[in-house]
Amino acid sequence: MIYKIQPALINKVVGYEASIKMVEGYDYRPTDSVYNIYSRGKLDFIPNIDAIQLQKRAKFMDIMTSVPVRRSGLIISDRLLDLINSFNIPEELQVFDAYAEHKGEKRHYNYFYVYYSHEDKIIDWNKSEFKPGSEEFKKASHLFKRDIHRLRKNYDNGIEIESSFPHKLVINEAEIKTDIFKLYFSNWGYYVTEELKNAIENSDCLGVDLIPIDQLRFEVEFQ
């Protein structure tokens, strides 16, 4: 089994969002602003993630989200990063310094960003089934199943194709080569293996949800 890794519910007041803004005085205009972090592709600059302002009713957790910081990466603590780094990690990984502030306290975090997914091999596109998300997607849905490389090229050329909710994902388990990986086109998110999931659960890390992929409201088949 594989598990989607994401922030857990903080409380009923702030929900899942630890942060809705950067600290007062943060400049969103420069090229290294968090607004310029890519959705995918290798980052050719060091993003300025100094600092994330936590909401008053939030708290420091080992994984969290901030509205201004693009969710193409994970905001994780040093403790969680050290644990992940003790497992098999993707070559296509970039890690950048990040900071978070809460009630006058500032802590170091990490922006964990995998810039390339291997779902052209991990997902069996011929057997998987998707629910189109838009008319534009219907026109391109055959690309999902037939030619993931052409679909990547469309994204790289700035042609936006709305993602689709899967009815069924067929996963080539032997093609999962790392203990944490990213899916982008099929069902967006970061996923971990059973071994890494168990290690996180047995650690002191707080606020981490690990959801079995077969509990994400679509059918899953491993082959």
Side-chain angles (χ1 to χ4, degrees):
M1 183 57 67
I2 59 175
Y3 301 81
K4 188 174 185 180
I5 180 172
Q6 62 185 38
L9 179 70
I10 300 170
N11 55 51
K12 293 182 179 179
V13 177
V14 300
Y16 294 89
E17 300 287 358
S19 162
I20 59 173
K21 63 181 180 180
M22 305 299 283
V23 294
E24 185 176 353
Y26 181 89
D27 192 349
Y28 295 92
R29 295 169 297 176
T31 55
D32 64 351
S33 162
V34 293
Y35 279 0
N36 293 320
I37 294 175
Y38 309 152
S39 294
R40 53 185 296 272
K42 190 172 184 178
L43 290 180
D44 57 4
F45 68 97
I46 298 174
N48 173 19
I49 315 177
D50 188 5
I52 297 161
Q53 180 66 65
L54 269 62
Q55 298 194 66
K56 290 181 180 180
R57 295 292 296 274
K59 59 184 73 174
F60 290 115
M61 294 293 193
D62 286 283
I63 183 171
M64 61 184 184
T65 58
S66 176
V67 171
V69 183
R70 193 179 291 273
R71 298 185 187 184
S72 44
L74 301 174
I75 302 169
I76 60 175
S77 68
D78 293 342
R79 175 168 55 185
L80 182 53
L81 178 64
D82 289 344
L83 178 57
I84 292 172
N85 280 339
S86 68
F87 283 78
N88 190 13
I89 58 175
E91 292 183 3
E92 303 85 1
L93 170 66
Q94 293 178 287
V95 179
F96 301 98
D97 290 321
Y99 297 89
E101 289 191 9
H102 187 237
K103 298 181 179 178
E105 181 181 356
K106 187 174 184 178
R107 291 191 187 181
H108 181 266
Y109 275 80
N110 307 274
Y111 187 69
F112 184 98
Y113 174 62
V114 176
Y115 58 83
Y116 186 89
S117 68
H118 289 277
E119 62 203 295
D120 51 336
K121 296 179 179 178
I122 293 174
I123 304 298
D124 188 325
W125 295 94
N126 290 318
K127 296 179 181 177
S128 297
E129 301 172 4
F130 296 87
K131 177 182 178 181
S134 66
E135 288 301 317
E136 289 75 15
F137 181 83
K138 289 179 183 179
K139 296 174 185 177
S141 60
H142 65 285
L143 297 178
F144 261 82
K145 295 184 177 181
R146 191 186 67 203
D147 193 346
I148 187 65
H149 299 289
R150 285 180 60 189
L151 186 60
R152 284 186 187 279
K153 187 175 181 180
N154 281 350
Y155 273 99
D156 291 338
N157 290 339
I159 302 172
E160 289 296 332
I161 301 173
E162 187 173 328
S163 184
S164 163
F165 295 105
H167 283 304
K168 177 181 180 181
L169 280 187
V170 179
I171 298 172
N172 297 315
E173 197 165 11
E175 296 296 337
I176 299 175
K177 307 296 186 182
T178 57
D179 287 295
I180 185 168
F181 60 96
K182 182 179 182 179
L183 296 180
Y184 185 86
F185 297 104
S186 53
N187 194 66
W188 186 94
Y190 284 81
Y191 296 82
V192 300
T193 60
E194 188 93 33
E195 292 75 16
L196 180 50
K197 171 255 188 187
N198 290 338
I200 293 172
E201 289 185 336
N202 292 327
S203 73
D204 295 326
C205 291
L206 302 174
V208 184
D209 261 357
L210 296 156
I211 306 171
I213 192 170
D214 61 0
Q215 294 182 17
L216 296 178
R217 299 183 181 179
F218 52 84
E219 183 182 350
V220 176
E221 178 183 320
F222 290 92
Q223 64 178 19

